Amino acid sequence: MTYIITEPCINVKDTACVDVCPVDCIHPRKDEEGFAEAVQLYINPDECIDCGACEPACPVAAIFPEEEVPEKWKSFIPVNYDYYKK
Ligand code: SF4
């Protein structure tokens, strides 16, 4: 299981989630290449430990456990996975 970042993050990229993630699996960070160009942040599904810390930290409620992603935002599940296949 993993958490997934969905549509409300687009063009927000608050990064509060990045600050609370204990395993640094949310990218790009502000200090990483590609942050300015990224439309949203993404959770690495292979590294996420499902701790849930990011979900309440997000000011726009963009983060959900994979199995609880709202139907209208299910397309963001492969969007998060695919970011780390590059
Ligand atoms: Fe990081 Fe925990 Fe959120 Fe997974 S659930 S992205 S490990 S803060």
Side-chain angles (χ1 to χ4, degrees):
M1 212 262 280
T2 181
Y3 277 63
I4 298 289
I5 302 181
T6 65
E7 184 175 80
C9 183
I10 291 177
N11 295 327
V12 176
K13 301 186 293 182
D14 178 85
T15 73
C17 58
V18 174
D19 294 340
V20 300
C21 180
V23 294
D24 190 28
C25 70
I26 308 176
H27 302 276
R29 295 191 311 259
K30 278 181 178 165
D31 63 353
E32 284 177 326
E33 197 177 327
F35 179 79
E37 298 78 30
V39 295
Q40 67 163 93
L41 305 179
Y42 309 91
I43 292 173
N44 187 331
D46 294 327
E47 295 181 3
C48 175
I49 59 170
D50 311 320
C51 73
C54 54
E55 186 177 1
C58 178
V60 293
I63 307 177
F64 300 87
E66 181 173 357
E67 68 273 22
E68 292 175 27
V69 173
E71 194 62 39
K72 62 184 173 182
W73 292 332
K74 285 217 185 300
S75 63
F76 284 83
I77 295 173
V79 166
N80 280 248
Y81 277 78
D82 289 351
Y83 180 79
Y84 294 97
K85 289 179 183 161
K86 284 188 279 185

